[in-house]
């Protein structure tokens, strides 16, 4: 099947971006959130008005078998893993674009304009 030049060009761009992600080697699902907390010491500044909360602490969250799983990260881990999470999001965006491109190519196929051939008549004899 022939694909329109614009579709091929877009697919080539997507392939280049996918290759760039593949060169980094890592993709990580989920998200990283900054958390700030209060401690249990009554005289701590985190209980003052206005409070000065402890942190930032970094938390990685994802879903596993319909359950939320969380892990606390060090600042170094946050820096490293954030790039992997960004890769995951970019990968999902590229996949959606590639799927939309495939659907557009299917819709643009000129063979959809052809009339379908008549189905062969049923020549079997039926008994009453």
């Amino acid at each position: 099947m022939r694909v329109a030049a614009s579709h091929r060009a877009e697919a080539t761009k997507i392939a280049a971006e996918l290759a760039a992600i593949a060169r980094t080697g890592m993709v990580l699902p989920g998200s990283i959130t900054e958390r700030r907390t209060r401690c249990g010491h009554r005289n701590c500044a985190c209980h003052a008005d206005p409070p000065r909360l402890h942190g930032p602490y970094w938390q990685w969250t994802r879903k596993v078998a319909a359950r939320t799983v969380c892990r606390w990260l060090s600042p170094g881990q946050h820096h490293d893993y954030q790039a992997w999470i960004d890769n995951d999001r970019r990968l999902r965006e590229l996949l959606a674009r590639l799927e939309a491109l495939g659907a557009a190519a299917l819709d643009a196929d000129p063979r959809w304009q052809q009339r379908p051939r008549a189905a062969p008549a049923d020549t079997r004899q039926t008994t009453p």
Side-chain angles (χ1 to χ4, degrees):
M1 181 186 134
R2 301 193 72 161
V3 178
S6 61
H7 290 153
R8 271 182 284 153
E10 181 68 15
T12 301
K13 287 180 192 175
I14 293 170
E17 292 181 52
L18 288 170
I21 290 173
R23 280 192 296 277
T24 67
M26 294 305 223
V27 175
L28 183 66
S31 61
I32 295 179
T33 308
E34 178 183 337
R35 302 281 188 210
R36 294 183 179 269
T37 62
R38 286 192 165 100
C39 69
H41 301 280
R42 294 186 142 206
N43 294 330
C44 183
C46 66
H47 292 282
D49 187 24
R52 289 184 305 173
L53 300 177
H54 299 282
Y57 302 110
W58 302 101
Q59 186 178 38
W60 171 57
T61 306
R62 70 181 182 130
K63 290 283 194 175
V64 176
R67 290 181 177 236
T68 303
V69 177
C70 300
R71 284 201 181 167
W72 294 103
L73 305 175
S74 70
Q77 289 173 315
H78 164 251
H79 180 266
D80 293 341
Y81 298 151
Q82 185 62 56
W84 298 359
I85 288 171
D86 294 342
N87 283 344
D88 180 65
R89 291 195 176 130
R90 186 68 185 137
L91 185 62
R92 291 172 192 270
E93 290 170 10
L94 292 171
L95 181 58
R97 281 176 49 198
L98 201 54
E99 288 172 347
L101 193 61
L106 181 130
D107 289 341
D109 187 345
R111 292 176 287 187
W112 290 111
Q113 303 304 320
Q114 297 173 356
R115 292 182 182 256
R117 287 194 262 168
D122 191 5
T123 56
R124 290 181 279 154
Q125 296 289 328
T126 59
T127 57

